[in-house]
Amino acid sequence: MSEKPADLPSSEVTEGVERAPHRSMFRAMGYDDEDLSSPMVGVANPAADITPCNVHLDDVAASAYDGVDEAGGMPIEFGTITISDAISMGTEGMRASLVSREVIADSVELVAFGERLDGLVTVAGCDKNLPGMMMAAVRTDLPSVFLYGGSIMPGEHEGREITIQQVFEGVGAVAEGEMSEDELDEIERQACPGAGSCGGMFTANTMASISEALGFAPLGSASPPAEFEERYEVAERAGELALECIENDRRPSTFLTRESFENAITLQVATGGSTNAVLHLLALAAEAGIDLDIGDFDDISRRTPKIVDLQPGGERVMNDLHEIGGIPVVIRRLLEAGLFHGDAMTVTGRTIAEELDELDLPDDDEIDADFLYTVDEPKQEEGAIKILRGNLAPDGAVLKVTGEDNFHHEGPARVFENEEDAMEYVQEGRIESGDVIVIRNEGPQGGPGMREMLGVTSAVVGAGHEDDVAMVTDGRFSGATRGPMIGHVAPESFVGGPIAALEDGDRVTIDIPDRTLEADLPDDEIESRLDARDEPELAYQNGVLAKYGAAFDSAANGAVTNPGVRRDGE
């Protein structure tokens, strides 16, 4: 890059006689005159030994660092936190997961602001890293490139590819007597063979794919596995690209548009992506000042077929998609069918359509993959994400279809005030065909933090009830969840949502074609029950959970905590 422009933020700490003390601090860390006359690029790195998703990120960040350095920038690496969703799953600690999205966004924003950085490479591994990093880039509006750490390779058990999903479901199978503890032990030891994020189209891979559709990352960057050499080539290119973005003043605000978010949702529903992406895209749009409503997900899903069938609905994983060209081959099919905005801009300075032309992809008719379908002959006629409404969810609830699109279910509510009680019910074998398991007090404020409940949903599926037992909650589900599991019920129980009025035995109807979630109760009975209930208290009175719990917005608005973008009370 040519000489450092004087109007870059870093000039405030590197230029002039009065900044000699500041330069002295940089020199203590090995930076020289050439560095100090170059744009300062922060490499935000959430590396940690607490999850395989992030255990390798020091190496990924190092490649990005080298890319910045070789392109003529001054790379400055700094750290932030991560929470392992898979390890905290099913425990009280899972309440920290969604909070970590906010802490990551806050911490990266603070460093970028406080240290007067000129640009960012935001590195991410585990689920909440990805939206947290992108939210920080939006808030700072610095030239930024998003860099995914890549997914784990699948394990193998008895000739079948397996992931962490099969381990969680094995717990339910053991409880039901359908699997021995010895076999579960074998699966446990084989499911996660190395570094990288969970391999199916779960939350991390969903958000990584979406980063391409939004324009935050170059096309083709999401799918290379964590331990492949290609992952480090992607990382180095991200560092180089960050300098190009600074030189051309290419910021998130210059490429994020309503069309970008429509592309992201289209890709999500076409690939069977995680329900968590609904929450995260709403939050990102709010941060970017772009009008996006939870109903938009349903509108787009109705017109977009599901054409990719990876885990949890299918059998294949992200690496299988990588081997046939990655996310770009999916985008190409959607674009050719008129379902994608090809003129949406990206971080490269080219449009989505122009980016596709730059790639060396196999011809569409040469791709032979049993998990990739055409738009004309899709896996399902509609996308995987459904937004249900009714007297239990006036503001909406979210379902990802992993089975039949025409699902209809009526059954008695089995009401639990928390995840632990519901898990005990399932593990004791008390679950019955037709049940609608209702778990409340797990919303953004009431939990707080909307715990993901892969343990319960997997136990239900593992017990043989994937199609005949439903679940309804104001909490969340993992991207690995499958079956008729409905989350994000809004308003949540804590703020007096109708889910708080349900009692054991009330009849609940779920109808996917009609998009309804209804209790067989008149409005006046719901109101009477809500009026009679005791006003709940915050579960935590001090510390980080109290602070963020009180700040969370509704799930229907992305559960944001940034006061400038909250929509409660509108």
Side-chain angles (χ1 to χ4, degrees), residues 31-42:
Y31 293 106
D32 57 21
D33 288 349
E34 184 178 357
D35 293 317
L36 293 167
S37 64
S38 304
M40 286 169 45
V41 179

Side-chain angles (χ1 to χ4, degrees), residues 418-435:
N418 55 61
E419 177 187 0
E420 287 81 2
D421 290 348
M423 187 66 170
E424 182 179 354
Y425 178 84
V426 175
Q427 289 289 75
E428 289 177 350
R430 297 164 60 192
I431 192 170
E432 296 180 8
S433 179
D435 279 352

